[in-house]
Amino acid sequence: MSNNRRGFLRELASVVTAAKDAPEPVVPDLSDAEVERYSRQLVLPEWGAAAQLALIEASVLVIGAGALGSPVGLYLAGAGVGRIGIVDDDAVELSNLHRQLLHFTPDLGTPKAESAAAKLRFLNPDVVIEPYQVRVAAANAPALVEGQDLVVDCSDSFATRYAVNAACCAARVPVVEAGVLGMAGMVMSIKPGRTACYRCAFPTAPADAPRCADAGVLGPAAGVIGSLQAMEALKLLTGVAPAIADGFLQVDLATAEFLRVRVARREDCPDCSPL
Ligand SMILES: [Zn+2]
C-alpha cells in the first residue's frame, strides 16, 4: 500500500474519532500489511483506528470450536483480535462437517481445538491462537475466563452455558451467549453487573432440552447465529454500536423472523445479583 493511501486512512480515522468527541484521536502504529488487511473495516465511519487498536490489544476466549465457534473464530481472527483462546475437548467427526466450517474431511479424528487453531493461523498469522483441549465445567470455568477481555460461549449445552455465565459474572468479564437448534437460535450479550445475565433470562434449563444429535440443526442456521455472536463480540470490544443487552435476539430462520426479547435483571439471580 502506498504511503499516500496509508496516510489517507490514518487521517480519516483521526477525523472520524475526533468527530465522535473522543478526547484524543488514537492512531495505532499499524504496519502497511495491517492497514491493507483491515482496510475495509478501517474506513467504516463507525470503526477507524481506535477500534482496530482495541481489537489488537484484546484477549478473547471462544468456548467451543463447533458450529457456532467456527464463524466466531473466523470473523474474530479475520478482524484482528490480538489473542484468541479456543476451548474444545472433542475430536472432529464426520457428522460435524456440514455445519462446523473450521474443520475439513482430512481433519477427522483431530482435536477440534487444534484443527481450529491451524485454520485460524492460516487466516491471520498476526493473531495469537491458543488451543485448550479441555471440557468446560463449573470447576474450571473461573480459571479459563480469568484475565479475558471477552468470552464468546459457543458451547452446546445449558450446563456449560450456566457455568460460563456464572464464571463471567463473578470475574466481571463480558460474555456473548448463544444457542442454536434446528432452524432457530438466540443471541445475548451480557455485561456483568450492568445488564441482565443468561441466568436472569433463563433461570432454569428445560427438563427435556433436545440436543443437535436428536433434533438436528441446519448449517446456515448455525452460521447466522455464530455470525451474530461475532458481531456482538466486535461491538463489545470496540463500542462501535450497542450490543444486544438486557435481553436477547430470538432468530427463526424458517420464518425469517428476528424478535428482540427484553429481559430485566433479577434481584434474586444467583449469578449476577451480588454484583
Ligand atoms: Zn443474572
Side-chain angles (χ1 to χ4, degrees):
M1 175 174 287
S2 71
N3 284 337
N4 282 345
R5 174 67 173 157
R6 187 176 179 186
F8 164 74
L9 286 170
R10 291 189 171 193
E11 191 174 319
L12 177 64
S14 301
V15 168
V16 169
T17 306
K20 289 189 288 192
D21 297 318
E24 288 289 338
V26 178
V27 181
D29 188 16
L30 298 174
S31 68
D32 285 357
E34 286 173 318
V35 172
E36 177 73 25
R37 180 184 286 272
Y38 306 124
S39 58
R40 296 306 188 273
Q41 57 197 42
L42 281 170
V43 297
L44 269 177
E46 300 85 355
W47 193 268
Q52 194 62 49
L53 180 62
L55 276 201
I56 289 172
E57 294 182 340
S59 293
V60 175
L61 189 72
V62 179
I63 296 177
L68 299 177
S70 289
V72 167
L74 286 164
Y75 280 126
L76 296 192
V81 169
R83 183 179 295 269
I84 301 176
I86 304 284
V87 188
D88 202 308
D89 74 329
D90 284 335
V92 179
E93 299 177 11
L94 193 57
S95 62
N96 301 150
L97 302 186
H98 79 121
R99 69 191 187 283
Q100 301 188 13
L101 302 178
L102 277 171
H103 314 299
F104 308 141
T105 302
D107 300 318
L108 293 177
T110 305
K112 285 186 186 176
E114 297 290 346
S115 170
K119 311 308 189 314
L120 297 180
R121 289 176 184 133
F122 275 131
L123 172 61
N124 192 345
D126 293 336
V127 176
V128 176
I129 308 291
E130 297 175 334
Y132 300 99
Q133 199 179 338
V134 296
R135 175 162 291 274
V136 177
N140 64 4
L144 284 166
V145 308
E146 181 68 35
Q148 302 290 339
D149 294 303
L150 176 73
V151 171
V152 187
D153 188 356
C154 303
S155 62
D156 59 357
S157 78
F158 278 93
T160 306
R161 285 195 286 272
Y162 284 132
V164 171
N165 180 72
C168 286
C169 284
R172 291 181 176 269
V173 174
V175 54
V176 183
E177 291 285 358
V180 64
L181 193 74
M183 291 185 276
M186 59 75 64
V187 181
M188 178 179 191
S189 287
I190 295 143
K191 303 174 190 176
R194 295 165 57 196
T195 67
C197 79
Y198 186 75
R199 180 77 75 172
C200 288
F202 306 99
T204 57
D208 54 351
R211 294 165 42 86
C212 284
D214 304 317
V217 60
L218 286 188
V224 168
I225 300 298
S227 297
L228 286 167
Q229 274 189 291
M231 189 71 199
E232 288 302 293
L234 294 183
K235 290 194 286 186
L236 287 168
L237 290 169
T238 64
V240 297
I244 304 170
D246 281 324
F248 57 89
L249 182 66
Q250 188 172 296
V251 179
D252 185 338
L253 276 307
T255 59
E257 289 178 319
F258 286 54
L259 178 66
R260 188 78 174 258
V261 180
R262 292 186 61 81
V263 176
R265 291 187 68 188
R266 291 175 184 264
E267 291 183 1
D268 61 345
C269 176
D271 290 351
C272 76
S273 68
L275 300 180

